[in-house]
Amino acid sequence: MRFRHPDGTVVHLSYCTNVHPAETLDGVLAQLRDHCEPVRRRLGRDRLGIGLWLARPAARALTADPAALRALRAELDHRGLEVVTLNGFPYEGFGAQEVKYRVYRPDWTEPERLAHTTDLARLLAALLPDDVTDGTLSTLPLAWRTGFDEHAAGTARAALTTLTERLDALEELTGKSIRVALEPEPGCVVETTADAIGPLTALPGDRVGVCVDTCHLATSFEDPATALAALDAAGIGIPKAQLSAALHADHPHRPEVRAALAAFAEPRFLHQTRTLTADGPRGTDDLPEALSGGSLPDTAPWRAHFHVPLHAPPAPPLTSTLPVLQGALTRLVGGPRPRTRHLEVETYTWQALPPAARPRDRARLADGIAAELALARDLLTDLGLKELP
């Protein structure tokens, strides 16, 4: 979906296909047919943007076979879909029964991460619509925090420097400008937008910036105005933002609130949980750890890294951090010029919701994703953006 900002800039809205995890190229093609096109039809759109997730095996197949890449581009066109952004955070295995810490490997200290991201950038340059010259690619925020020392920081910095050189060369070759965005996430080396400033100012040029994920922003109790102002002051760009909402509990000391939170403590994904104290944020690596008692103060609200559907907050006594998303979006695209042109709804946890809230079939999942995009569309038009055909 495309929107015209009052300053004339085109802003793209998509949804991320990591909600339909597939490891192979055949699986990706099936996603387009079984999920993405039905979402487009529900929205009554001739064209729908998708934030494509390509697992390493699928990316490798496309890189090795130019004919397969052309066929994917043709299939996107045939189904009324377009790609201006890729989600390069999960490497592979995102559909496994237990993902947890595995999603952070390989990290930016390992050569596989650089190779994969380079391939994704080249693929994105080939998949961009003919009238679009700029693409974005989100990636993990360097690494999970444990074991990350000065040597690891130097290795990651060298890898990202090499990546910027490759992206410069790619633009010279193709005329397509690809920018990469580190996605701050609780528990990682770059947990907050503030954590991104040091590593990114050490890099040459402006090829690498920040992907603001509003679920992660909220989970870490970051104030959108403060966070975005700090990035602006440091001269760090925001190539991409992910529109998402975290799980919020006002009174985590109450038994009924803990019981409601326990329904979201599922075994597949990591749900980092945070609270604010007088000394700043404190947290646990996962929701079950927080609920087990004693490890996290419960005298102030808790927030958990669980991407809840934008249009359907959990039932009381829980809620979502949708107001944080709204505040961030106002500052991202509601001003005299947009701070980013690529917005992506990323609710990959539909099938990890408590059983009563999970979609029972593909049709209901498509209904839910379409409803999320409709809400995001309404937020954008309320800010003065005009939806384009």
Side-chain angles (χ1 to χ4, degrees):
M1 300 167 74
R2 298 186 184 194
F3 298 80
R4 180 81 63 188
H5 188 275
D7 78 341
T9 303
V10 174
V11 174
H12 294 263
L13 172 67
S14 62
Y15 89 90
C16 186
T17 64
N18 63 356
V19 65
H20 322 297
E23 300 293 309
T24 66
L25 179 54
D26 286 344
V28 171
L29 295 172
Q31 287 176 352
L32 306 184
R33 179 192 68 231
D34 296 338
H35 299 288
C36 302
E37 186 176 12
V39 171
R40 177 182 65 78
R41 293 188 182 279
R42 280 163 172 76
L43 290 164
R45 302 285 307 173
D46 293 331
R47 173 175 54 190
L48 177 68
I50 57 171
L52 199 59
W53 175 61
L54 296 172
R56 182 56 183 156
R60 186 182 292 116
L62 289 167
T63 302
D65 187 353
L69 179 56
R70 290 192 297 270
L72 174 58
R73 171 69 184 270
E75 186 71 3
L76 289 165
D77 293 341
H78 172 66
R79 301 200 179 277
L81 306 169
E82 67 178 12
V83 175
V84 300
T85 188
L86 298 182
N87 187 331
F89 195 136
Y91 183 80
E92 61 185 350
F94 203 59
Q97 290 299 309
E98 183 177 333
V99 178
K100 298 289 184 181
Y101 295 94
R102 292 170 51 192
V103 75
Y104 305 108
R105 302 294 302 273
D107 60 34
W108 276 102
T109 69
E110 299 171 273
E112 294 85 356
R113 176 61 62 172
L114 173 60
H116 179 55
T117 308
T118 301
D119 285 347
L120 291 178
R122 291 169 178 160
L123 294 173
L124 179 56
L127 292 173
L128 287 176
D130 291 338
D131 63 343
V132 174
T133 58
D134 299 319
T136 55
L137 169 60
S138 49
T139 187
L140 83 163
L142 300 184
W144 186 251
R145 70 183 186 281
T146 54
F148 194 86
D149 56 16
E150 289 187 9
H151 175 74
T155 302
R157 183 169 57 250
L160 287 169
T161 299
T162 298
L163 178 67
T164 64
E165 295 167 353
R166 292 177 180 179
L167 296 177
D168 286 341
L170 181 64
E171 183 173 9
E172 288 187 18
L173 180 65
T174 66
K176 304 291 187 179
S177 176
I178 307 299
R179 298 180 69 201
V180 172
L182 301 185
E183 182 184 330
E185 176 164 308
C188 293
V189 173
V190 175
E191 171 159 337
T192 66
T193 54
D195 294 334
I197 291 174
L200 290 181
T201 52
L203 296 177
D206 62 354
R207 289 285 182 188
V208 185
V210 167
C211 172
V212 174
D213 183 300
T214 57
C215 170
H216 303 171
L217 192 80
T219 302
S220 296
F221 286 89
E222 288 196 82
D223 172 63
T226 303
L228 298 182
L231 292 177
D232 284 348
I236 293 171
I238 305 171
K240 173 179 180 178
Q242 288 174 326
L243 307 184
S244 53
L247 192 62
H248 180 96
D250 269 325
H251 304 289
H253 64 284
R254 295 180 179 173
E256 67 273 19
V257 175
R258 286 185 173 253
L261 285 169
F264 288 84
E266 53 83 38
R268 185 172 173 187
F269 298 113
L270 206 60
H271 301 297
Q272 300 94 317
T273 305
R274 299 287 184 268
T275 189
L276 274 182
T277 72
D279 297 321
R282 283 186 57 185
T284 61
D285 284 353
D286 210 352
L287 183 54
E289 182 185 351
L291 291 169
S292 65
S295 57
L296 195 62
D298 60 7
T299 54
W302 286 4
R303 290 176 178 173
H305 173 215
F306 195 117
H307 291 227
V308 295
L310 302 187
H311 69 292
L318 305 178
T319 187
S320 81
T321 60
L322 184 63
V324 177
L325 184 160
Q326 292 171 300
L329 190 62
T330 297
R331 289 163 177 82
L332 285 167
V333 300
R337 60 176 183 82
R339 282 181 161 110
T340 186
R341 289 177 290 161
H342 292 177
L343 304 172
E344 178 184 73
V345 172
E346 196 210 15
T347 306
Y348 59 85
T349 42
W350 273 97
Q351 300 299 344
L353 290 168
R358 292 177 196 168
R360 295 191 298 273
D361 52 37
R362 291 195 311 227
R364 287 175 174 81
L365 177 59
D367 290 342
I369 293 170
E372 288 195 285
L373 285 166
L375 183 146
R377 176 193 60 203
D378 292 345
L379 292 177
L380 291 172
T381 56
D382 286 348
L383 290 172
L385 282 73
K386 180 181 178 181
E387 188 176 4
L388 298 175

